[in-house]
Amino acid sequence: MPRRDTCPRDVLSCSLESRHVNTCCVPKYGLVVLSQQWHPQMGPMNEFTLHGQWPDQCGGNFVEHCDTGRERDDVEDRLEQTDIYDDMKKYWPSFKPTPQRPDNNYFWSYEWNKHGTCVSTLEPGCGYQGDQDLYAYFNKTLALRKQYNIYKALKKAGITPRPSFDRDPREDDKYSVDAILAAIKDEWNVTAAVNCKSGNPLEIHLFFNVRNKDTYELTDAIPSQMDCPHTRKVVYWEKQPLQQRGSMSRT
């Protein structure tokens, strides 16, 4: 198996050169999507939380459940004694407590099984043992969320949450998708995507290619991933204080 220090440092996923590099060094599915979401009843007052991180084919086609032998139904138990468990609860909470999706464990297990098993650089043949692959997937996703702080990028552009969640939105409560994308472009010089299909009040996708196994480099969203018209307006509600939050729903 290739060691990290023997992986080529000048090959980026989805490039022509990457076709000839071991998939332990450069992801087989080399377009990575980081999805951050804003929900008025979830997470810290001034932070986006995570929907997930998933690898796509370079043309944007979706892949999922790539290794059923590594799927888990007890991800929370496996992370509970790690140093990322508190951040997982804080920045990656589930918010659809139904019999089908009851809790964080279901959500995290779902994300790992569907997306984490498709990260080729985390396969057992790449040197991972036990739950090291699972930990690496969630730890990297948390690190990317921290590095690419969408709340701060929007605030810098004058885009801040509107009060209050418990009334019908007025037109001046809304921001255009174009304004949101422009703020991200100004901050990181890339084109992002706003997801209008998720049902969440606001969900933003950043896109990456990967160099040297786990060095994530921002890249532009591809057209097939940009389903939200730039002229559309979305609501960006101020979050409710923790003590006021009631039952929560997730789509």
Side-chain angles (χ1 to χ4, degrees), residues 222-236:
I222 59 175
S224 64
Q225 299 275 7
M226 301 175 68
D227 60 68
C228 202
H230 286 205
T231 55
R232 180 167 175 172
K233 291 192 173 183
V234 295
V235 179
Y236 184 24

Side-chain angles (χ1 to χ4, degrees), residues 95-131:
F95 60 108
K96 190 172 184 179
T98 69
Q100 292 74 36
R101 298 183 178 191
D103 51 23
N104 285 338
N105 178 63
Y106 178 92
F107 186 30
W108 300 343
S109 298
Y110 177 87
E111 291 297 310
W112 166 254
N113 295 340
K114 186 175 183 179
H115 303 298
T117 59
C118 294
V119 182
S120 70
T121 55
L122 299 180
E123 292 177 356
C126 302
Y128 290 89
Q129 299 178 358
D131 291 330

Side-chain angles (χ1 to χ4, degrees), residues 40 161-175 201 232-238:
R162 302 292 200 191
S164 150
F165 179 60
D166 59 359
R167 62 171 171 79
D168 292 332
R170 299 185 298 263
E171 193 61 24
D172 60 0
D173 287 323
K174 301 177 182 180
Y175 294 100
R232 180 167 175 172
K233 291 192 173 183
V234 295
V235 179
Y236 184 24
W237 287 124
E238 191 175 72

Side-chain angles (χ1 to χ4, degrees), residues 46 149-161 183 236:
N46 59 351
N149 189 310
I150 289 178
Y151 179 88
K152 290 182 178 179
L154 297 182
K155 184 178 180 181
K156 188 183 293 186
I159 299 175
T160 56
Y236 184 24

Side-chain angles (χ1 to χ4, degrees), residues 29-194:
Y29 305 115
L31 180 68
V32 179
V33 182
L34 178 73
S35 177
Q36 299 187 52
Q37 59 191 5
W38 181 271
H39 194 286
Q41 292 185 316
M42 190 176 66
M45 296 291 288
N46 59 351
E47 299 277 0
F48 276 67
T49 58
L50 287 161
H51 181 166
Q53 180 223 140
W54 47 84
D56 285 348
Q57 295 180 1
C58 295
N61 292 331
F62 199 71
V63 294
E64 58 184 47
H65 296 284
C66 297
D67 187 350
T68 56
R70 290 161 60 220
E71 292 191 1
R72 303 287 181 260
D73 62 6
D74 59 348
V75 166
E76 184 170 20
D77 288 344
R78 293 169 183 266
L79 294 178
E80 191 168 9
Q81 301 304 316
T82 70
D83 59 352
I84 65 171
Y85 182 61
D86 287 343
D87 279 351
M88 287 291 296
K89 292 186 293 181
K90 186 175 183 179
Y91 298 116
W92 205 332
S94 174
F95 60 108
K96 190 172 184 179
T98 69
Q100 292 74 36
R101 298 183 178 191
D103 51 23
N104 285 338
N105 178 63
Y106 178 92
F107 186 30
W108 300 343
S109 298
Y110 177 87
E111 291 297 310
W112 166 254
N113 295 340
K114 186 175 183 179
H115 303 298
T117 59
C118 294
V119 182
S120 70
T121 55
L122 299 180
E123 292 177 356
C126 302
Y128 290 89
Q129 299 178 358
D131 291 330
Q132 292 175 339
D133 54 352
L134 187 144
Y135 173 89
Y137 170 75
F138 288 106
N139 186 50
K140 185 63 179 182
T141 309
L142 289 167
L144 290 172
R145 189 216 63 86
K146 183 177 181 179
Q147 182 176 358
Y148 298 99
N149 189 310
I150 289 178
Y151 179 88
K152 290 182 178 179
L154 297 182
K155 184 178 180 181
K156 188 183 293 186
I159 299 175
T160 56
R162 302 292 200 191
S164 150
F165 179 60
D166 59 359
R167 62 171 171 79
D168 292 332
R170 299 185 298 263
E171 193 61 24
D172 60 0
D173 287 323
K174 301 177 182 180
Y175 294 100
S176 71
V177 169
D178 191 58
I180 291 169
L181 295 179
I184 293 173
K185 183 79 170 180
D186 288 344
E187 183 70 10
W188 295 301
N189 195 32
V190 292
T191 300
V194 175

